Amino acid sequence: MTWVAARSKTQSTVFDPNGLKDAPFSGVIPRNNMPRGTIVIETTFPDQFSQPLDLIDYEHWQGFRRSLHMVLGPNGRLWVACEQGVNLMMSSLDLSDCVKDSPIRISFSWDIAQQKSWLSAEDLKSGQLYSKTLDCAVPSAIDDFARILFSTDDTVVTPAVSAIFVSTKVENIGYRSGLGAGALVETEWGPTPIEQVKAGDLVVTHAGDLVPVVALIKTEVPNFGRFQGVDLRRPFQNLSQTLSVSQDTYIMTDGVDVEYEFGHEFVSLRANHIAPFLPRASSKGAPVALRYQLLFSSDLAYRVAGISVHALSVVHDLRDKPLHRRTQLSHVSPVAIDQIDTKPTRKLLSHEATALLSGRYINA
């Protein structure tokens, strides 16, 4: 069991203490304490603000005081306070160097058995990761999260929060982009479903070379908010199959228009910038999705269903061992990935991608 709740501004709340499924939960939500878990929120780091920005402001009295507060201060410091009766935990994380007006994903995790908590954040524009470990933990009740997600009062989950998720495990951070199962990766043995690719397999790159895979990264995400996938289908670059991908997956493209407008042979486009130009691109799907992505010893794109998809790019400091252990790459030795090229293909901004794709699909 992992994700048990999700909600976004464009999607209604789903909640199931037994794990999110296709069928809605119809039972009574228990009052059990969660010995471990994670709450994740998505918001935007303000361009400028003079007062603290409340994100979650929850308080409940049921024999004793239970509360959860998340606040982003004008100095860029994130504050979290969690209370259960006489147990109180408070911590902060410096996010002052986040890109202004950038989407960020904040997570707070706890594990009572280890007596540890983790406050983490990810700048979704730059990919920069932040994390802090605390040697204390306060249990949280699952019915409190139900009240938070089902609340209609904007003072509990403020309008600044675009999505919120709850898991019953300590979730790792970062590196959650990828493709859905069944995406056919071009390997030395021919097209292979991505979920069957293994470390050491030789995969065809965008340049036609065969390169060994360092690791297959598998991650489970709620299909909500910025986690929600998009479907890439024809007429995009003559795809041979429809691909379900995460919004932040980068697709490589080339052409005369690319060289003329940007002065590069290849550029990369985010999937969510491509989606508006394709029919029925929004991927509804199940409430929880599995994503798969490949990691190589260099920053490159590999061939999938006739197009080139960017592999994972490592953005955190591999020398920071506590941070590395908090990421989705924690099971991969830093020695295997410390030579990754830091000069990736030019990645287009939103307005650049719109201009390129408008010329291809609207003005053509």
Side-chain angles (χ1 to χ4, degrees), residues 16 40 66 82 90 96 103 125 161 166 194 198 205 213 221 226 247 270-271 275 281 290 302 313 315-316 355-356:
D16 190 333
V40 180
R66 290 150 43 168
C82 183
M90 182 179 296
S96 59
K125 181 175 288 186
V161 175
V166 179
I194 191 169
K198 305 181 298 298
T205 71
V213 173
V221 296
R226 293 181 180 272
Q247 296 183 32
R270 278 176 61 114
L290 289 176
Y302 58 99
S313 296
V315 294
H316 71 280
L356 177 65

Side-chain angles (χ1 to χ4, degrees), residues 7 54-57 151-160:
R7 143 183 167 181
D54 290 321
L55 300 172
I56 294 179
D57 188 13
S151 68
T152 56
D153 186 351
D154 282 348
T155 61
V156 177
V157 180
T158 64

Side-chain angles (χ1 to χ4, degrees), residues 210-225:
L210 286 173
V211 176
V213 173
V214 169
L216 172 68
I217 307 301
K218 175 183 175 182
T219 183
E220 182 186 63
V221 296
N223 204 12
F224 283 71

Side-chain angles (χ1 to χ4, degrees), residues 261-308:
E261 293 186 39
F262 305 105
H264 293 269
E265 183 180 1
F266 299 97
V267 294
S268 296
L269 309 167
R270 278 176 61 114
N272 64 320
H273 295 159
I274 300 169
F277 295 89
L278 305 180
R280 302 182 305 280
S282 178
S283 179
K284 305 282 185 194
V288 173
L290 289 176
R291 302 287 181 207
Y292 301 86
Q293 185 55 290
L294 302 183
L295 179 67
F296 298 90
S297 60
S298 60
D299 195 347
L300 52 80
Y302 58 99
R303 300 291 293 172
V304 183
I307 65 173
S308 295

Side-chain angles (χ1 to χ4, degrees), residues 60-188:
H60 181 70
W61 178 268
Q62 194 168 10
F64 55 88
R65 179 185 171 92
R66 290 150 43 168
S67 67
L68 175 64
H69 300 275
M70 285 191 181
V71 180
L72 189 59
N75 59 354
R77 184 165 287 277
L78 171 69
W79 292 89
V80 172
C82 183
E83 181 182 17
Q84 284 271 23
V86 297
N87 299 308
L88 174 65
M89 190 286 306
M90 182 179 296
S91 182
S92 68
L93 187 64
D94 184 10
L95 304 181
S96 59
D97 59 347
C98 272
V99 178
K100 306 305 180 187
D101 203 27
S102 172
I104 58 173
R105 185 175 289 139
I106 297 166
S107 65
F108 173 64
S109 304
W110 65 94
D111 189 318
I112 300 303
Q114 296 187 48
Q115 272 300 297
K116 288 188 179 296
S117 301
W118 298 267
L119 181 57
S120 309
E122 178 183 1
D123 185 325
L124 299 180
K125 181 175 288 186
S126 67
Q128 184 66 41
L129 301 175
Y130 308 82
S131 189
K132 181 177 182 179
T133 302
L134 298 91
D135 293 322
C136 63
V138 173
S140 296
I142 196 166
D143 58 312
D144 283 332
F145 291 118
R147 292 188 182 92
I148 291 172
L149 270 84
F150 284 107
S151 68
T152 56
D153 186 351
D154 282 348
T155 61
V156 177
V157 180
T158 64
V161 175
S162 58
I164 182 170
F165 321 100
V166 179
S167 170
T168 56
K169 60 179 281 192
V170 175
E171 295 287 345
N172 286 335
I173 60 174
Y175 307 106
R176 290 185 179 272
S177 66
L179 296 80
L184 296 176
V185 177
E186 296 180 24
T187 72
E188 62 175 328

